[in-house]
Amino acid sequence: MMKKGKEILQVVEAVSNEKGLDRETIFEAIEAALASAARRRHPEDVDVRVAIDRETGEYEAFRRWEVIPDEGETVGEGEDEEEVELESEDRQIRLADARKHDADLEVGDYIEEPMEPPEFGRIAAQAAKQVIVQRVRQAERAKVVEAYEERVGELISGQIKRMEKGGIMLDLGENAEAFIPSRHTIPGETARINDRVRGYLYEVRPEVRGPQLFVSRTMNEFLIELFKLEVPEIGQDLIELKGAARDPGRRAKIAVHALDDRTDPIGACVGMRGSRVQAVSNELAGERIDIILWDENPAQFVINAMAPAEVHSIVVDEDTNSMDIAVEEENLSQAIGRGGQNVRLASELTGWNLNVMTIEEAEQKSETEARTILEMFKTKLDVDEEVATILVQEGFTNVEEVAYVPESELLDVEEFDENVVSELRQRARDALLTQMIASEEELEEHKPEQDLLDLEGMTDTIAYRLAEKGIRTRDDLAECATDELEEIEGLDPELAADLIMKARAHWFAEE
């Protein structure tokens, strides 16, 4: 039965003009509200569809049933294949029964039956209004997400709207809010309602309760963006910011590099009488900022990053990505900083593990390492202390270097002639071959036998871990007790007991 609906057209027109929503969205909201009203009139859990004529406003309602596969039939393929259960006879119908009404129906179609439509009265209008308000909110949220998604990585500012246990909520205007989690607030900083706060937008996360814009005042990027704001030479591509490290609210280091030889990068960032760096510091609750000159030489960069401490000497170990830094004893506390702050920030900024020590400690460590290398050369190359000392003094640290560096480098050593060089290289290669054979033999000793690998429930990982403990065969495992395997990683007591019993199974079979 068709119902007249001039009121519907009036509501659609009014809401469209007031909220700025398209007419189709409002029609769909009213259809949903009328369908909800129709369902409430039935004691059963029925499915209802309402259709409104977009021109006249007249509408009609239909009760409908979804067509699902016949009993015993499945949908999907492979692992996703499953049988569809009939969950509700009031909302679903099997395909065979549906085709008694219409032979052309397929799974997923609907059988519809006209029903008495509800009046578009006060209740239906109120329900429609709620749906419309919800759609308006969804549209507003979508606009906020769209507006701020492209601004991730930028500075944004807003007024503190409220303080929460988990952080601070900012009002950005135009129905947008941002959240500063507690861990992203500067420790000890005072914040009050209506204060204007700036932060770094690091994430936009659309959620049901509204878009969440997440802002940080502690990330290194916040410091970098503040300098971009205060130092125009950065935007003019005269200065490049190479990185930053922070102890929020206390101290920070930022690395700068001049892209133009005529520009002083540190002076530009400091500003006239310190005005630029002071402006950044004020924004960060008085955070002290060291401006560091970046250098492509890692050792020099680390020396610069250790400022204001003066570095006496530095030893680079590329294999461990670390550097030993020696300073005068009276400068040690300054180099390390309160609570290790200075060396920690320098390490984070440069990307190197830094070990700070006094000159005496560095010399002692160097002597110890040199002595260790010297003894290694004496043992592996079978040379006397004099030859081993020469190798150490020339900067050789391992047998591989002696064996495979260009021969010319060894011939450049004043004390070595061609015969000595040839003999040293041959001994080095023999030592490496002996080491490789020993490694292979050790690996073979720790290799599990095939009968252990074939044991039901055994994995290659567990088998090799057992072999490292000397349990290489099925009989070795069979003789074990569960508590003997407690230290085997990835092997819990239950699995250990099960494997032991399976390893013993052939004993009982033989009996």
Side-chain angles (χ1 to χ4, degrees):
M1 177 185 294
M2 187 76 76
K3 287 263 188 178
K4 293 183 178 181
K6 288 184 180 180
E7 290 180 348
I8 291 178
L9 295 180
Q10 292 172 355
V11 169
V12 169
E13 194 65 34
V15 175
S16 179
N17 293 334
E18 180 184 346
K19 299 292 186 180
L21 286 177
D22 64 278
R23 291 165 56 88
E24 183 60 29
T25 298
I26 303 167
F27 273 120
E28 290 174 359
I30 296 174
E31 286 175 338
L34 288 169
S36 177
R39 282 195 297 273
R40 284 198 295 270
R41 290 163 49 183
H42 280 263
E44 304 92 356
D45 179 26
V46 300
D47 186 13
V48 177
R49 181 178 73 88
V50 172
I52 301 175
D53 187 299
R54 284 7 180 198
E55 298 298 327
T56 66
E58 295 181 340
Y59 62 95
E60 53 188 336
F62 303 90
R63 179 181 175 180
R64 61 182 191 169
W65 292 262
E66 181 187 7
V67 179
I68 64 172
D70 289 326
E71 190 172 359
E73 293 188 6
T74 58
V75 294
E77 297 181 359
E79 294 181 359
D80 296 328
E81 188 176 13
E82 61 178 356
E83 184 177 344
V84 178
E85 299 288 337
L86 182 65
E87 297 176 357
S88 171
E89 293 184 352
D90 296 319
R91 303 170 68 94
Q92 295 174 316
I93 186 172
R94 294 288 186 186
L95 179 61
D97 295 328
R99 284 183 171 170
K100 294 175 183 178
H101 300 274
D102 185 342
D104 296 329
L105 288 172
E106 299 291 342
V107 172
D109 290 340
Y110 287 88
I111 287 182
E112 295 190 333
E113 181 181 279
M115 64 183 295
E116 179 69 26
E119 294 289 339
F120 185 68
R122 182 180 60 83
I123 296 177
Q126 186 66 27
K129 181 180 178 182
Q130 291 175 353
V131 175
I132 291 168
V133 168
Q134 185 179 4
R135 296 289 174 89
V136 170
R137 286 176 181 163
Q138 289 173 350
E140 289 173 346
R141 290 168 188 164
K143 284 182 181 179
V144 172
V145 170
E146 187 177 349
Y148 282 91
E149 268 183 333
E150 295 181 357
R151 295 187 61 186
V152 171
E154 295 182 9
L155 295 180
I156 62 173
S157 64
Q159 280 187 312
I160 296 181
K161 185 176 181 180
R162 62 182 179 273
M163 315 283 284
E164 300 179 356
K165 187 177 181 180
I168 298 172
M169 188 64 72
L170 298 181
D171 182 0
L172 307 180
E174 298 181 355
N175 298 313
E177 292 181 338
F179 186 64
I180 307 179
S182 294
R183 68 181 184 280
H184 286 280
T185 59
I186 297 176
E189 184 177 32
T190 303
R192 292 179 291 269
I193 302 295
N194 295 326
D195 280 357
R196 192 145 198 91
V197 174
R198 190 152 45 186
Y200 176 79
L201 180 64
Y202 66 91
E203 184 180 5
V204 175
R205 189 190 307 160
E207 295 186 351
V208 175
R209 59 192 178 100
Q212 288 287 295
L213 312 182
F214 290 92
V215 172
S216 174
R217 287 178 55 78
T218 60
M219 292 174 70
N220 296 336
E221 290 82 357
F222 183 41
L223 175 64
I224 291 172
E225 291 302 318
L226 287 174
F227 267 101
K228 288 181 181 179
L229 201 64
E230 295 292 337
V231 184
E233 287 86 348
I234 298 172
Q236 295 165 5
D237 291 332
L238 300 176
I239 296 174
E240 182 182 10
L241 300 181
K242 303 293 285 187
R246 296 179 62 195
D247 186 355
R250 297 182 179 87
R251 191 170 178 185
K253 291 179 183 285
I254 186 165
V256 298
H257 171 58
L259 298 173
D260 187 317
D261 294 337
R262 297 167 296 181
T263 304
D264 172 15
I266 293 180
C269 290
V270 171
M272 188 72 70
R273 297 180 181 176
S275 58
R276 291 175 176 175
V277 70
Q278 190 60 49
V280 175
S281 178
N282 291 342
E283 179 66 52
L284 301 175
E287 197 168 303
R288 176 186 165 191
I289 303 168
D290 299 332
I291 301 174
I292 308 300
L293 187 64
W294 178 84
D295 197 290
E296 63 181 351
N297 182 326
Q300 185 59 53
F301 184 27
V302 167
I303 291 172
N304 296 344
M306 287 298 296
E310 292 186 10
V311 176
H312 178 271
S313 65
I314 192 165
V315 177
V316 180
D317 186 344
E318 293 185 348
D319 292 336
T320 61
N321 194 48
S322 65
M323 296 190 193
D324 289 341
I325 299 169
V327 298
E328 297 284 355
E329 188 166 359
E330 57 267 27
N331 293 333
L332 184 62
S333 59
Q334 183 186 42
I336 295 173
R338 184 181 298 175
Q341 184 188 69
N342 190 59
V343 68
R344 185 175 68 252
L345 291 176
S347 178
E348 184 182 341
L349 182 68
T350 60
W352 287 79
N353 298 316
L354 307 180
N355 308 310
V356 180
M357 58 191 73
T358 64
I359 296 173
E360 291 75 15
E361 289 172 336
E363 289 175 350
Q364 186 177 355
K365 182 178 181 183
S366 178
E367 289 174 5
T368 302
E369 290 176 347
R371 190 69 202 175
T372 301
I373 295 171
L374 185 145
E375 294 298 330
M376 179 269 295
F377 281 144
K378 287 173 63 177
T379 302
K380 293 192 173 182
L381 301 182
D382 191 21
V383 296
D384 59 25
E385 184 147 344
E386 182 182 355
V387 173
T389 301
I390 293 171
L391 287 171
V392 172
Q393 290 174 344
E394 292 295 327
F396 291 92
T397 59
N398 55 61
V399 175
E400 287 87 349
E401 290 175 349
V402 178
Y404 297 114
V405 296
E407 190 173 344
S408 58
E409 288 191 27
L410 283 168
L411 288 171
D412 285 341
V413 179
E414 187 177 347
E415 294 86 351
F416 293 168
D417 58 24
E418 289 186 7
N419 291 333
V420 172
V421 169
S422 177
E423 182 65 23
L424 282 175
R425 288 168 69 83
Q426 187 58 52
R427 291 187 185 186
R429 288 169 180 168
D430 289 345
L432 290 174
L433 181 60
T434 301
Q435 183 178 322
M436 183 181 69
I437 292 171
S439 297
E440 289 180 351
E441 288 176 351
E442 184 179 355
L443 183 65
E444 189 65 29
E445 287 178 5
H446 293 125
K447 183 179 178 182
E449 296 292 342
Q450 194 61 45
D451 66 341
L452 184 65
L453 289 166
D454 291 340
L455 190 66
E456 184 185 351
M458 181 64 69
T459 66
D460 288 354
T461 301
I462 293 176
Y464 274 90
R465 286 174 180 165
L466 287 169
E468 287 176 3
K469 300 293 184 181
I471 305 167
R472 298 180 58 210
T473 68
R474 183 172 58 175
D475 285 336
D476 290 341
L477 179 59
E479 292 171 356
C480 291
T482 305
D483 56 359
E484 294 179 68
L485 307 181
E486 287 179 351
E487 296 180 359
I488 305 296
E489 186 181 348
L491 187 60
D492 59 63
E494 186 177 344
L495 178 57
D498 183 56
L499 290 174
I500 290 171
M501 292 307 297
K502 287 176 179 175
R504 294 173 179 173
H506 70 292
W507 291 354
F508 304 113
E510 289 170 2
E511 291 175 1

